[in-house]
Amino acid sequence: MVALDPRGQGASSTGFKSWSAASVGDDVAALVKHLDRSALIIGNSAGAAAAAWAAAEEPERIRGIVLIGPFVRDVPMTLGQSLLLKLGFAGPWAPAMWGSYYRSLYPVSPPADLDMYVDALKKNLKEPGRLQALKGMIFTPKTEVANRLDQVKAPTLVVMGDKDPDFKDPAQEARLVADLLHGEVAMVPGTGHYPHAEAPQTTTELIAAFLEKHS
């Protein structure tokens, strides 16, 4: 298993000119090409858009994609949501705001180490360039990715928590994304934006069944 941090986040470098999902997707595709082997790509949230882009770029190497809580298109926000995000990132309170928002994405069964993770997240966002990268990821339109979804030929599984607060109707969004990619939907009851963290055994079993079906 190989994991990577998106541009400017976690332990990755800062100073990129683009933080778009398409650019991160190019990074994923380059990694798969460098490893020179077939791969299953699992992408969560905005990372799902990067996974879809990489699948369009490397159809011969990517044998499947799993999209968890996916943002592969520009999901309409209410005016209130848009203002809240813009104001939340407008001052020195931004890391604390994001930490609070991040907590809300685990509405039912937050993992035991969530407090420790959120503290590390807020500390990371205070490093030079980190907040700019996060804002770039959130606010850059996903139009490029949405326009290439019909080029994705890899088998696709969309995994969605049925209480994901990022979507007005999680099941409807999951079905819409799956239809665009001719894929399958697996809903994880009682979980939010990170079902793999709130219900790891259930989510793992769903992914394993998908792999077995398409192996």
Side-chain angles (χ1 to χ4, degrees), residues 25-187:
D26 283 337
D27 297 338
V28 175
L31 177 59
V32 171
K33 188 174 182 178
H34 172 74
L35 295 172
D36 193 24
R37 63 183 66 181
S38 65
L40 170 75
I41 307 297
I42 302 175
N44 175 223
S45 196
W53 181 274
E57 285 287 301
E58 291 290 336
E60 300 301 321
R61 289 186 171 91
I62 296 178
R63 59 190 176 94
I65 56 175
V66 177
L67 311 181
I68 304 176
F71 281 101
V72 298
R73 66 187 191 101
D74 294 318
V75 178
M77 288 191 293
T78 66
L79 179 60
Q81 288 172 323
S82 180
L83 287 174
L84 182 64
L85 274 176
K86 289 180 179 178
L87 289 173
F89 283 117
W93 54 82
M97 179 281 298
W98 188 252
S100 178
Y101 171 74
Y102 185 83
R103 286 181 186 278
S104 75
L105 300 176
Y106 297 89
V108 180
S109 303
D113 62 349
L114 182 59
D115 287 344
M116 182 174 64
Y117 184 86
V118 170
D119 287 344
L121 176 63
K122 291 189 290 186
K123 182 179 179 181
N124 181 261
L125 286 175
K126 293 177 182 179
E127 296 176 2
R130 300 292 184 202
L131 197 59
Q132 183 182 6
L134 177 61
K135 289 191 290 185
M137 179 194 74
I138 292 171
F139 293 114
T140 302
K142 294 178 177 60
T143 310
E144 288 179 291
V145 175
N147 288 341
R148 292 196 70 185
L149 293 181
D150 62 349
Q151 298 176 28
V152 176
K153 306 305 179 186
T156 300
L157 174 66
V158 176
V159 179
M160 184 78 81
D162 69 348
K163 299 190 183 306
D164 190 332
D166 268 343
F167 303 99
K168 182 179 179 180
D169 187 335
Q172 183 181 56
E173 182 66 22
R175 185 71 265 164
L176 186 154
V177 173
D179 286 348
L180 289 171
L181 290 159
H182 306 288
E184 307 165 36
V185 172
M187 300 300 296

